[in-house]
Amino acid sequence: MSSHVVAPARIDSTTTVPALEVKGLVKDFHSGGLFSRASVRALGGVDLAIRKGEIVALVGESGSGKSTLARCVARLEKPTSGRILLNGTDVLKRDRFQASREYRSQLQMVFQDPFGSLNPVHRIEHFLTRSLTLHGKAGNPAQLCSRLDGLMTTVGLTPDMLNSYPHELSGGQRQRVAIARALAVEPEVILADEPTSMLDVSVRIGILNLMRQLRDQQGISMLYITHDLASARYLADRIAVMFAGELVEEGESLDLLANPAHPYTRLLVSAVPDPARTGSYDPHERAALRTAVMESASCAFDGDPEQQCSATEPVRHRVGEPANQHWVRCHLYRPPAAAASHALSAEPLEPKLQIATEEPSTAESRTEKQAST
Ligand code: ADP
Ligand code: MG
């Protein structure tokens, strides 16, 4: 994977309205007994934007809130507060029934477990036909037939597999069916929650390549949720790092992974096998740090109580070149001395959207980078 050359992304930089944007998204889960008022904060005010034709990876360890974010965006969970905008329209304000049908035709979710998401009593044809019919895209019988064949071909399966049952297919093939079902409604955005984590390593790359192909050929925007940074680097234009329900760092993928600024990102990066890495790597130290992170309600890296995130919320600092759209939120972040005169100040950054409009798109910055190498 490390030898991968990032293809220029087909990101639509002509419009400033993101395909999907969440603003200040908060989700509290009720915990304790029936009469308890206790709650667990799974999302603590998340801001994230995905431009048209862009793939953003949401990374973080188990329990950090990634699935909750996706489920809130897919409207499978009701957020406690915050806004969700699809093409600039606030979806939470709309009439529930109408919004859900319309919403599903614009945004689809692909889940981790392809077997669990396909009812074993039906043939593959059933899942795709149902999806096409529900969204009024089935047409007449001849059109339906050709659409079904087309969907199977698009996801790299043969049309004769339409007659198969889910158990007759491999895990990778089932995930391709789940993707075909999502594609049937011609969505603009796909949320893929760990779509390869239950698959054999050998077939994961095929699913990632399929997702990239869908973005390149159909301009679909994607939120790719994973705990695997190597696959995030392989697939995503940008990476957002989630820690304890908050985004702590975000940036152009290769830049973020080469220059992780938040201690938690560094911890995640240290887990990625990389023969080229220099410097010491102590698995025991990492294991201890990880335990501390998982047991901590907030940042386990911060020894100084005056600087704890729970006392004062850290501002966002820009990291490196503005073109990389790389920022970090951490009290411990100090700009490198050599770059002190650069725009690496402690000023809070403006909202991400503004960054996107003022600066070249990721695609442009990559093209520049490639041109300069
Ligand atoms: P991730 O996908 O990153 O592993 P999740 O979004 O599944 O994390 O979970 C984030 C936090 O929210 C966890 O602490 C989890 O226990 C809690 N959580 C998720 N779903 C529920 C639920 N339905 N009820 C109560 N707590 C939940
Ligand atoms: Mg999850």
Side-chain angles (χ1 to χ4, degrees), residues 4 62 74 88 130 141 146 183 213 227 239 265 285 302 329 372:
H4 169 68
S62 181
R130 188 160 184 275
S146 97
L183 287 178
Q213 182 191 322
H227 59 265
I239 293 177
T265 315
E285 191 184 312
D302 196 342
R329 264 178 45 182
S372 66

Side-chain angles (χ1 to χ4, degrees), residues 112 169 231 269 322 324 365 371:
Q112 181 177 22
L169 305 183
S231 69
V269 170
N324 292 326
S365 67

Side-chain angles (χ1 to χ4, degrees), residues 158-171:
T158 52
D160 59 291
M161 287 178 178
L162 285 165
N163 291 319
S164 306
Y165 288 96
H167 70 266
E168 294 173 314
L169 305 183
S170 70

Side-chain angles (χ1 to χ4, degrees), residues 29 42 61-68:
F29 285 110
E61 292 191 300
S62 181
S64 55
K66 306 180 298 295
S67 295
T68 303

Side-chain angles (χ1 to χ4, degrees), residues 299-331:
C299 184
F301 302 102
D302 196 342
D304 179 355
E306 297 263 301
Q307 290 200 331
Q308 274 173 6
C309 296
S310 50
T312 48
E313 203 173 304
V315 294
R316 289 203 282 162
H317 300 264
R318 177 173 285 154
V319 181
E321 293 299 322
N324 292 326
Q325 301 171 49
H326 186 170
W327 60 260
V328 64
R329 264 178 45 182
C330 179
H331 285 308

